[in-house]
Amino acid sequence: MAKRPQRRDVPGDLHSTPNISKPRGYFSGNLETGLPSSRKYASLRKPPSSREINKANNLSKKIDPEQISLLIGKDWHLHYVTPLYKFSHSEIRTYSRQLSAFIAAEKQKGVPFDMGSDNIFRVNFSIILGIAEKEEDSEAVFIQIYAKQFFAIQGTTENVIWSGWLACVNCSTEYISSLPPRFTYFPLFCSNGPETMTAIVRTWFQKTFDCSFGNLTMNYSNLGWLAAIWTDCKQTVDFKYLKLSWTLPLRPPLDITYTINSEDVWELWNSVHKENDQITSEEMGQFMYSLESHFFRHFKVHLTFGELIEVSTSLGLVQKNGRIKFLSGERMPAILTLLTENAVLMMPI
Amino acid sequence: MSVLKLFHKHPELNTASILLVETERQHQDKLAEAILAAQRSFNVNVHLADSLPLPTKNEANRPRIDLVVFIVNHFNSHSLELTKSYLQHLDVMYFLGRLCFLVSDARSAKSDRDILHAVREMAAQYSSPLLFTELQTEQGLATAADRLLVFTKVSAGFVPGVSSLFLNTLTSCSHPMESSPTKLSDTD
């Protein structure tokens, strides 16, 4: 029987030439330098089987309520980010100026904007303390872009036309410690605002910090976790219903919206969930399976043949294509941890 | 429980049979055509099914099946569950190299990571090869057909000295590795 090939990681400086590691027995060539392979790390890792949900925990304990209100109520578009090179939290004023200048330069170049042609844009970077959970996580950075009319009278207020934030919540310690020095890691980037502005901000980040972005999609199990977490909040925060949306691949495609009363879903959740702070993936799987089989019993439609597109409650809304809206700060750390892990797994390399 | 048996029938001269099982019948037809169009030195019968056990009324006319291919759809979880239940209807001799799993478009954005992981685990559990193919393009279909024909040739016994069990030791899917932080920092 062939010996299982060993994988060798070659951590090295970005500037050194690739090393081929010494072959030992069977060897699967892994010519990687610089950043350690996240995909290899991801493929080695099973999805976590249990999730710690601290019931007493919501963000308002640690963060200024004003700053929380920045995060809540807006429709965020999720992206994953590769590590940033030479990003420093103390230089954020410089970054604000640079980004404003970059936006003005892009406007000059004639890049299409859909925000009106005579606006001045001002950028503000700020740090939100308290989102990052572990010591190794970098503190979250919040970006706002204000627009003001060029010919405006003194004293007119600026409007926020775009906001975004970079966050790292409960990211795995091994991965962060294996990054070469001078790299900062924010796996999750959320943006709200016109797409053209998002593209410009991404281009600036790519040019300045040599990172790359990609869209984050939520798969079935992530949406299931969020449904479970939000259902679990029923004791502390009441919500009326849990709504799940499916699309079945028929001709023409059939959209199903499955709305469940919160008392019923709470009863179901209680019968599945043990009374403690952890939610295991078996419980989550059992919960989703019960909902789907109940639907099958009544309508004779197998929901598992379709795709789960959206999960929403009055605590928040999340869609498969990577859009999320928080309507309450409840259980945010757990949700942000889930999103961060998803971002880390989706990162290429 | 009716079970698809391997050695119940006589093989035919210079002929091999493949059974393609797919719950949703999306890629079967095109793949079958590609197999028939591929270059080969023996005759091939391709049988299509969407579930096991196969209907008993055709039992007499059906030739001996040399290779069973399960085309698993990794965009939803149902296909995987159904495939696992079909495996109960296969004779144990098929698991020694005459069984193959196939997924298409693993790089697609619609693919669910966890389901793909689960398919891989299933293939590793049954020590069978897992083929990643691209069945949307003509080139992809031709490539997949060629790969399946290699397996068929060995299963039907047309390659002297190579048995399907031998090929299986080389092609079976490996377990997606379990996590262990110490493995990552393994250095020379």
Side-chain angles (χ1 to χ4, degrees), chain B residues 59-96:
Chain B
E59 187 74 41
N61 302 337
R62 211 181 291 130
R64 178 176 100 156
I65 305 284
D66 293 302
L67 180 71
V68 178
V69 182
F70 284 100
I71 304 179
V72 186
N73 186 358
H74 56 98
F75 298 150
N76 54 50
S77 49
H78 208 110
S79 174
L80 180 62
E81 300 299 322
L82 284 176
T83 308
K84 283 189 187 163
S85 65
Y86 298 156
L87 288 171
Q88 298 167 14
H89 296 280
L90 278 185
D91 187 31
V92 86
M93 295 304 287
Y94 278 107
F95 290 96
L96 300 176

Side-chain angles (χ1 to χ4, degrees), chain A residues 15-36:
Chain A
H15 306 291
S16 70
T17 49
N19 290 330
I20 303 179
S21 40
K22 298 190 276 279
R24 255 196 225 169
Y26 291 100
F27 153 75
S28 97
N30 221 355
L31 296 179
E32 286 160 16
T33 62
L35 301 180

